[in-house]
């Protein structure tokens, strides 16, 4: 049996060497940003060529799952919006662990303790307010005040990965408690599909407060919209756009190099240039954003959130109607 | 007299093959107990009640507005009737998601028009969210539907009746009431069409009812399917079936009534307004300014702002949104996709329907087919889309259409034959049979007769048919909202997705492009078909 394996491995060697220098990346990054990321890596590591398949996270996962079923996943590296999909892949045994990967500059919770996937940036969820609002909130509990009644708009976890992680993290947070979303609903908060809908409503002044991802609010403020963004004192949640290597890769060497590049200071500076907070401490964030070390991240137990996600979504749909 | 040739038969079979399978598949969808249980939930019941309520309230409002314009435009000698009719029809042709978007920026707290005047509502309130706003905007969009139905009825009333009333001493108001009384079937038909349009509308409730926490059937179907994925197709199908039955019930009223409307040639009623001519025109202009021009102007201003809520000043106006919308791959692709899809659907449907409409003059089968082709148009677009998903989820005859533009094209071909049929059927009815008989007596067979005699005469009607399909498909959202996939978007989806992504000012820019393209096409088609009365805005 063992000799058979060896024989197969030997036979596979020419295949591996034929693939050296070729990487296939599946990503949910927007076109322009994905192209920048790949160009920067190819410049840092000449001799490697990366082909990209880009689509929404759901479509990327659909394609990948179809390829798993057919037994021939084509992707070597995966770079998608949220850790929950990565965690699901990890539990199916699809991801390659990389214990050597250096995570010293990264906060716990941004990477998988089993070192299969690594967060590349912090897209935090905090509170956005219209400058005409009666008060500026500093705590998540401020949104439960009578003055915020009917004035809070939030994204739905049925559509938004960031909203799902926020919902899951809040239910375990001692300062907020499992009933936080029930109280929000009782205070007549409104759920819209995605973060964009939240931005529209607070920007236009239709509602005073919104629960939303940082860059949307901060970019709007920078363009002159009458809004502001706060990182509440209990802390914020974050999606981390993790990167991972598939176990079935035929080019683990270059795949590792790609992951290392994204986590390196150079890769992290690129993330900052693209308008995101780098996950790595000590790398300067984009103007107007706080650095990673200043951000208080809530505990986000991704495996548990993944396990409870269907129940949490259903409860949320019952509370907010979809 | 002549036996059916293969051409209308082939065209008819093709049409039937694309038009009916989605709805039949939905009708036979194995409704699992779980799916039926989902329809019996409190939220589904609330959505049903809300949809019916919005349908009724908006229809009553639309009747008032639509009747007012129908009287002015079809019965009186008000000046500027042509331009007023054109602008009034724009209320229907501008798609609901763009209308809703325009009204939101027009009357919202960040209104670029009302804000500088100090008239904008206070921050933290959006007057249009919820049932009031939904009913109002649905009414504005449906008023032209009532107008069109009523106008057809009014045109059939002979002028003699009014002259007799006048001779008997009836005043202007009495004359108008008398004519309206006679046109009642048209009005009732318009009301039922307006109700059907209301319950099937998706763009308006998507922008006003979802944020207002006011669930309706169309938004609930959309939210379930996009929120819980394709696994909830059973539940969505059950909800869609409920919506379809509601629409068919509403439409059957119209079908029963329409049979009684006889078309009649002859002099049309024209009541002289006398001293009221100018005031009537002024009132029509004020209404159009409020209902059409002001919201579109607010949308136009918004498209020039860097972000929502920025006060419009010369220094803050910029064309960046237009540049980025026309440069970005996704939006440019959406524009092109919609152009190709709607042009393709218009040409294909017009071509297929020429032969069928011609055959329908003599053949019973063709007439039945044409009547049945009304159903996919009456049924809400979302319902048809669910049917298409059910049919095409797995490859059909080895062709995989799901997640491609093909499924949207198939849905358009299924949905819009009813629109293409109207001008073609009218043209065929007006065709003098003597022409064909002359050709036949000269020895021409059915196919040469069709190609050399019928086709050239039907061409203007075919252009009109293709134009109507194009206008409906170019901006539509209700069908493609469920059928688009990454890389295969339509213009309606493009606007909606930008709006959902928080890019309200870029969404406004894309909407301005869409409205400009639509108006340009209406004007171009109007010029090409001048004097033929083949287009609704050529009354």
């Amino acid at each position: 049996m063992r000799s058979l394996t060896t024989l197969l491995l030997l036979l596979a060697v020419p295949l591996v060497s034929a693939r050296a220098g070729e990487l296939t990346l599946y990503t949910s990054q927007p076109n322009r940003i994905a192209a920048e990321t790949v160009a920067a890596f190819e410049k840092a590591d000449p001799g490697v060529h990366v082909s990209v398949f880009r689509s929404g996270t759901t479509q990327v996962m659909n394609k990948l799952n179809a390829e798993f079923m057919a037994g021939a996943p084509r992707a070597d590296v995966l770079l998608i919006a949220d850790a929950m999909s990565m965690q699901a892949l990890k539990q199916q045994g699809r991801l390659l662990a990389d214990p050597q990967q250096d995570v010293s500059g990264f906060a716990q919770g941004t990477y998988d303790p089993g070192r299969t996937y690594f967060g590349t940036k912090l897209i935090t969820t905090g509170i956005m307010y219209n400058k005409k609002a009666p008060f500026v909130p500093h705590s998540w509990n401020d949104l439960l005040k009578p003055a915020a009644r009917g004035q809070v708009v939030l994204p739905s976890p049925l559509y938004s990965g960031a909203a799902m992680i926020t919902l899951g993290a809040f239910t375990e947070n001692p300062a907020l408690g499992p009933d936080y979303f029930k109280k929000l609903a009782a205070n007549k908060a409104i759920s819209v599909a995605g973060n964009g809908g939240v931005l529209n409503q607070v920007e236009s002044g239709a509602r005073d407060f919104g629960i939303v991802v940082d860059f949307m609010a901060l970019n709007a403020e920078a363009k002159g919209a009458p809004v502001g963004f706060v990182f509440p004192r209990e802390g914020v949640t974050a999606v981390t756009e993790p990167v991972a290597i598939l176990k079935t890769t035929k080019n683990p060497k270059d795949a590792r190099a790609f992951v290392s590049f994204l986590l390196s200071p150079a890769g992290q500076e690129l993330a900052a240039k693209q308008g995101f907070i780098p996950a790595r401490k000590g790398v300067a964030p984009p103007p107007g954003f706080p650095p990673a070390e200043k951000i208080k991240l809530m505990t986000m137990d991704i495996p548990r959130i993944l396990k409870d996600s269907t129940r949490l979504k259903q409860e949320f749909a019952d509370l907010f109607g979809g | 007299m002549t036996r059916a040739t293969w051409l209308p038969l082939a065209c008819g079979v093709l049409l039937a093959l694309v038009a009916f399978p989605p709805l039949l598949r939905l009708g036979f969808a194995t409704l699992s107990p779980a799916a039926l249980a989902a329809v019996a939930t409190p939220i589904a019941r609330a959505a049903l009640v809300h949809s019916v309520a919005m349908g009724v309230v908006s229809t009553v409002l639309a009747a008032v507005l639509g009747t007012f314009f129908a009287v002015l435009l079809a019965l009186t000698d008000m000046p500027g009737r042509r331009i007023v009719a054109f602008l009034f029809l724009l209320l229907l042709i501008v798609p609901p998601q763009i209308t809703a978007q325009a009204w939101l920026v027009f009357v919202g707290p960040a209104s670029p028009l009302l804000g500088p005047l100090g008239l904008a509502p206070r921050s933290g309130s959006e007057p249009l969210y919820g049932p009031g706003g939904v009913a109002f905007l649905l009414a504005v969009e449906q008023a032209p539907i009532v107008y069109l139905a009523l106008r057809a009825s009014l045109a059939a009333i002979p002028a003699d009746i009014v002259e007799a009333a006048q001779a008997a001493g009836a005043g202007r108001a009495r004359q108008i009431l008398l004519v309206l009384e006679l046109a009642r079937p048209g009005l009732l038909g318009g009301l039922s069409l307006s109700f059907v349009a209301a319950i099937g509308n998706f763009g308006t409730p998507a922008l006003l009812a979802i944020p207002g926490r006011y669930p309706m059937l169309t938004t609930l179907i959309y939210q379930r399917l996009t929120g819980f994925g394709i696994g909830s197709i059973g539940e969505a199908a059950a909800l869609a079936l409920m919506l379809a039955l509601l629409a068919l019930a509403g439409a059957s009223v119209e079908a029963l009534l329409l049979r009684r409307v006889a078309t009649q040639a002859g002099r049309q009623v024209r009541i002289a307004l006398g001293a009221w001519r100018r005031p009537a025109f002024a009132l029509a202009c004020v209404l159009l300014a409020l209902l059409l021009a002001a919201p579109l102007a607010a949308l136009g201003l918004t498209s020039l702002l860097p972000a929502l809520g920025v006060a419009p000043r010369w220094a803050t106006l910029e064309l960046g949104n237009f540049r980025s919308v026309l440069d970005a791959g996704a939006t440019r692709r959406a524009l092109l996709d919609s152009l190709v899809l709607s042009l393709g659907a218009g040409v294909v449907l017009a071509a297929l329907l020429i032969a069928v409409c011609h055959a329908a003059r003599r053949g019973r089968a063709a007439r039945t087919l044409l009547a049945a082709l009304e159903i996919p148009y009456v049924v809400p677009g979302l319902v048809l889309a669910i049917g298409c998903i059910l049919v095409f989820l797995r490859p059909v005859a080895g062709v995989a259409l799901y997640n491609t533009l093909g499924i949207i094209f198939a849905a358009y071909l299924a949905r819009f034959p009813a629109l293409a049929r109207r001008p073609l059927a009218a043209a065929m009815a007006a065709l003098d049979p003597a022409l064909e008989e002359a050709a036949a007596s000269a020895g021409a067979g059915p196919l040469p007769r069709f190609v050399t005699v019928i086709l050239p005469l039907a061409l203007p009607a075919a252009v009109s048919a293709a134009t109507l399909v194009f206008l409906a498909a170019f901006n539509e959202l209700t069908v493609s909202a469920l059928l688009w996939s990454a890389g295969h978007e339509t213009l309606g989806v493009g606007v909606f997705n930008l709006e959902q992504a928080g890019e309200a000012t870029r969404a406004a820019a894309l909407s301005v492009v869409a409205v400009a393209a639509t108006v340009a096409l209406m004007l171009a088609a109007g010029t090409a078909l001048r004097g033929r009365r083949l287009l609704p805005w050529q009354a």
Side-chain angles (χ1 to χ4, degrees), chain A residues 172-235:
Chain A
E172 282 229 321
N173 190 293
L176 302 176
D179 287 338
Y180 181 80
F181 278 84
K182 250 182 223 145
K183 293 182 205 154
L184 259 188
N187 207 25
K188 301 272 175 214
I190 308 284
S191 155
V192 292
N195 285 279
V198 175
L199 174 67
N200 281 347
Q201 294 210 18
V202 181
E203 236 181 356
S204 70
R207 315 262 182 225
D208 286 333
F209 309 108
I211 298 177
V212 76
V213 290
D214 51 26
F215 69 92
M216 279 198 183
L218 291 168
N219 287 347
E221 189 184 6
K223 284 186 194 165
V227 296
F229 183 80
V230 288
F231 295 80
R233 69 168 84 93
E234 295 88 354

Side-chain angles (χ1 to χ4, degrees), chain B residues 373-402:
Chain B
L373 285 174
E374 292 287 318
I375 296 174
Y377 187 63
V378 161
V379 164
L382 229 53
V383 174
L384 186 69
I386 301 258
C388 285
I389 295 176
L390 290 170
V391 169
F392 296 115
L393 192 54
R394 278 174 209 88
V396 177
V399 184
L401 288 186
Y402 190 62

Side-chain angles (χ1 to χ4, degrees), chain A residues 55 59 130 132 151 158-159 185 188-190 192-193 196-197 199-201 203-208 216 223-226 314 319 321, chain B residues 43 109-110 122-126 129 210-213 222-223 226-228 306-310 485-486 499-504:
Chain A
S55 198
Q59 271 88 10
N130 191 293
K132 289 194 185 130
Q151 292 299 337
L158 272 60
Y159 304 85
K188 301 272 175 214
I190 308 284
V192 292
L199 174 67
N200 281 347
Q201 294 210 18
E203 236 181 356
S204 70
R207 315 262 182 225
D208 286 333
M216 279 198 183
K223 284 186 194 165
Q314 195 58 57
L319 277 178
Chain B
I43 192 163
R122 64 165 192 84
S123 156
S125 65
E126 172 49 74
Y129 286 153
I210 293 179
R213 271 176 101 168
Y222 174 80
Q223 285 178 306
T226 48
F228 291 98
L308 265 190
V310 178
S485 48
E499 180 80 21
Q500 297 286 298
E503 309 251 23

Side-chain angles (χ1 to χ4, degrees), chain B residues 230-471:
Chain B
I230 200 71
S232 63
I233 185 80
E235 187 189 342
L239 288 168
L241 209 54
M242 192 150 85
L243 191 56
L245 293 177
L246 208 56
L248 289 174
S252 59
V253 176
E254 197 254 349
L256 288 176
L257 289 167
L258 253 188
R259 232 171 266 168
R260 288 197 263 142
V261 181
T263 47
Q264 139 144 19
R267 264 182 324 127
Q268 277 190 18
V269 180
R270 198 56 79 197
I271 297 169
L273 285 177
W276 290 96
R277 278 186 81 210
R278 275 162 201 283
F281 180 63
L283 182 56
C285 287
V286 168
L287 279 173
L288 286 174
L290 271 178
L291 297 176
L292 181 72
L296 285 182
L299 187 71
L301 260 179
T302 302
S303 72
L304 298 172
L305 296 176
L308 265 190
V310 178
R313 289 194 202 87
W314 277 119
T316 54
L317 298 185
E318 55 172 46
L319 286 171
N321 291 315
F322 286 91
R323 217 171 296 131
S324 80
V325 155
L326 296 175
D327 274 354
T331 40
R332 205 168 51 189
R333 198 171 50 223
L335 259 170
L336 277 178
D337 284 351
S338 269
L339 209 62
V340 170
L341 285 171
S342 46
L343 207 63
V347 170
V348 168
L349 285 177
L352 289 177
L353 277 162
I354 291 177
V356 177
C357 284
H358 180 244
R361 295 170 69 194
R362 297 205 181 86
R364 201 199 179 104
R367 268 202 299 279
T368 312
L369 172 66
L370 286 180
L373 285 174
E374 292 287 318
I375 296 174
Y377 187 63
V378 161
V379 164
L382 229 53
V383 174
L384 186 69
I386 301 258
C388 285
I389 295 176
L390 290 170
V391 169
F392 296 115
L393 192 54
R394 278 174 209 88
V396 177
V399 184
L401 288 186
Y402 190 62
N403 277 343
T404 69
L405 274 187
I407 191 169
I408 303 179
F409 191 62
Y412 285 179
L413 291 183
R415 183 154 176 80
F416 296 119
L419 281 181
R421 181 198 66 110
R422 279 160 211 180
L424 282 168
M428 293 299 170
L431 219 61
D432 189 349
L435 283 171
E436 256 196 284
E437 281 156 21
S441 62
L447 190 62
R449 280 207 308 272
F450 182 76
V451 173
T452 56
V453 180
I454 308 298
L455 269 190
L457 289 171
L459 196 63
V463 171
S464 156
T467 306
L468 292 182
V469 172
F470 180 92
L471 281 176

Side-chain angles (χ1 to χ4, degrees), chain B residues 131-143:
Chain B
V134 174
F136 171 70
L137 278 202
L138 287 178
V140 170
E141 288 154 20
Q142 288 149 212

Side-chain angles (χ1 to χ4, degrees), chain B residues 46-47 49-51 53-54 129-131 134 205 208-216 219:
Chain B
V49 171
H50 292 168
S51 281
M54 287 299 99
Y129 286 153
V134 174
L208 302 181
I210 293 179
R213 271 176 101 168
Y214 188 78
M216 294 175 63
T219 51

